[in-house]
């Protein structure tokens, strides 16, 4: 009964967060910010304001590789539909002109957010699932659950240890054969988040276009197959995995090596596997 009550509480919390931050829900505060772009500021809950503020900090950290105003690009890149051709380059350029986290006006005293140009949009893809995982973990801890793992659509956050006293074993999917294991980690009180191009993509004229867009160019990124981030906060891991995917192998790895308590595992398009200096891989899968 305690477990069932915990599951129900988590379901309610996830639904609450989705209703607040989802840009796909017309009634959310995020959607209202987008509707009022170029018109007027929107007063929002402190929770959403703080999440957006942290998103901007990650944008600054990654030199714009992560940008919450990327959402305007989604109208020309509908990866989940059957696109027959890539968008016109002029259309892409026009959409990129509406991207820019530094242009948002955030008023802390009023708890308001303003997008100064009509057509600008914010979205929490690349950070929202991680935030939801962190919230679920906190809720369960407050309910007296001493150990566990939350899986929010592949964004994992753990706390405590297994009943047998050992750490949690987390397997990372091989982007070449996603149903096989690339590597296994043993973790406790850590988040593990993977961004990849092997689940959501389209192919046009024999070329694969992943769902991860570079907000600076407006085009899907290439060069990497997957990026896994290991750190203590799922929200940060989520945004950083997306950012490293956009930044690429060299710049992404250089950034991770500068961050305390953050590790990464990168798989390149030519199937090389690169890890940060402090990542402790317990097992490697058979990549035959």
């Amino acid at each position: 009964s305690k477990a069932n009550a915990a599951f129900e509480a988590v379901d309610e919390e996830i639904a609450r967060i989705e209703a607040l931050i989802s840009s796909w829900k017309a009634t959310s505060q995020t959607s209202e910010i987008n509707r009022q772009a170029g018109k007027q500021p929107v007063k929002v809950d402190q929770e959403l304001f703080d999440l957006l503020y942290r998103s901007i900090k990650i944008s600054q950290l990654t030199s714009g590789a992560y940008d919450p105003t990327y959402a305007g690009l989604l109208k020309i890149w509908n990866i989940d539909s059957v696109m027959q051709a890539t968008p016109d380059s002029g259309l892409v350029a026009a959409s990129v002109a509406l991207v820019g986290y530094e242009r948002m006006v955030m008023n802390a005293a009023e708890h308001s957010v303003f997008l100064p140009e009509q057509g600008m949009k914010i979205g929490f893809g690349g950070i929202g699932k991680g935030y939801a995982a962190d919230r679920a973990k906190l809720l369960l801890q407050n309910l007296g659950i001493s150990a566990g793992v939350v899986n929010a659509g592949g964004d994992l956050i753990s706390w405590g240890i297994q009943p047998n006293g050992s750490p949690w074993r987390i397997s990372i999917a091989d982007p070449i054969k996603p149903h096989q294991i690339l590597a296994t980690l043993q973790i406790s009180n850590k988040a593990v988040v993977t961004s990849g191009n092997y689940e959501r993509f389209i192919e046009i004229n024999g070329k694969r276009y992943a769902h991860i867009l570079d907000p600076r160019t407006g085009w899907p990124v290439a060069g990497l197959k997957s990026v896994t981030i290991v750190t203590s906060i799922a929200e940060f891991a989520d945004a950083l995995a997306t950012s490293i995917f956009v930044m690429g192998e060299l710049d992404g790895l250089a950034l991770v090596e500068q961050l305390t308590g953050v590790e990464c595992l990168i798989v390149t398009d030519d199937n090389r596997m690169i890890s940060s200096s402090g990542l402790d891989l317990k097992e490697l899968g058979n990549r035959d």
Side-chain angles (χ1 to χ4, degrees):
S1 62
K2 183 178 181 180
N4 286 333
F7 289 142
E8 291 177 5
V10 168
D11 281 344
E12 292 175 0
E13 176 67 355
I14 299 302
R16 183 193 68 79
I17 292 170
E18 184 179 18
L20 178 68
I21 73 172
S22 174
S23 57
W24 303 107
K25 287 186 174 293
T27 55
S28 74
Q29 293 183 4
T30 299
S31 293
E32 182 63 12
I33 292 170
N34 294 340
R35 277 192 296 270
Q36 298 301 328
K39 300 176 183 177
Q40 62 184 0
V42 176
K43 189 171 183 177
V44 300
D45 290 356
Q46 186 69 49
E47 181 179 8
L48 188 146
F49 188 91
D50 290 345
L51 178 60
L52 191 53
Y53 179 81
R54 295 194 299 273
S55 297
I56 291 173
K57 289 298 183 183
I58 296 172
S59 299
Q60 295 170 342
L61 177 69
T62 61
S63 300
Y66 174 82
D67 192 324
T69 66
Y70 82 102
L73 298 171
L74 299 179
K75 67 179 181 292
I76 61 170
W77 287 103
N78 191 349
I79 300 296
D80 292 327
S81 71
V82 182
M83 295 181 66
Q84 301 297 323
T86 59
D88 177 78
S89 59
L91 185 60
V92 173
S95 297
V96 170
L98 296 172
V99 175
Y101 69 90
E102 69 280 356
R103 296 160 64 190
M104 282 193 299
V105 180
M106 299 185 64
N107 187 321
E110 297 292 333
H111 298 167
S112 68
V113 180
F114 179 51
L115 300 176
E117 190 169 346
Q118 190 170 359
M120 291 186 73
K121 291 185 177 181
I122 62 169
F124 291 103
I127 198 171
K129 285 197 301 182
Y131 175 66
D134 287 328
R135 290 292 305 175
K137 170 193 168 184
L138 178 62
L139 186 153
L140 291 169
Q141 288 178 313
N142 289 338
L143 289 174
I145 309 291
S146 60
V149 177
V150 172
N151 179 357
D155 289 18
L156 301 175
I157 183 76
S158 71
W159 71 104
I161 56 177
Q162 296 188 63
N164 64 8
S166 62
W168 300 101
R169 291 170 55 83
I170 305 297
S171 294
I172 301 169
D174 191 330
I176 303 171
K177 300 177 179 178
H179 296 294
Q180 296 187 14
I181 294 173
L182 174 66
T184 299
L185 304 168
Q186 292 187 7
I187 63 170
S188 177
N189 303 312
K190 292 287 185 182
V192 180
V193 175
T194 298
S195 288
N197 68 357
Y198 50 89
E199 290 184 338
R200 292 178 58 200
F201 63 90
I202 55 172
E203 290 189 356
I204 299 174
N205 297 326
K207 183 176 180 179
R208 175 178 292 196
Y209 293 89
H211 73 285
I212 300 175
L213 305 175
D214 187 336
R216 302 165 300 185
T217 67
W219 291 89
V221 295
L224 303 181
K225 285 184 174 176
S226 72
V227 175
T228 298
I229 296 293
V230 182
T231 189
S232 58
I233 301 172
E235 173 190 310
F236 185 47
D238 194 3
L240 197 57
T242 302
S243 301
I244 301 306
F245 209 102
V246 172
M247 295 172 72
E249 170 191 345
L250 297 179
D251 290 343
L253 186 62
L255 174 61
V256 169
E257 293 289 13
Q258 296 177 57
L259 300 174
T260 302
V262 179
E263 303 297 340
C264 73
L265 177 64
I266 297 172
V267 180
T268 65
D269 271 350
D270 57 0
N271 299 325
R272 289 177 294 114
M273 192 166 66
I274 303 153
S275 63
S276 56
S277 58
L279 188 65
D280 185 11
L281 297 174
K282 295 301 181 183
E283 302 172 18
L284 293 178
N286 182 15
R287 306 189 72 198
D288 54 358

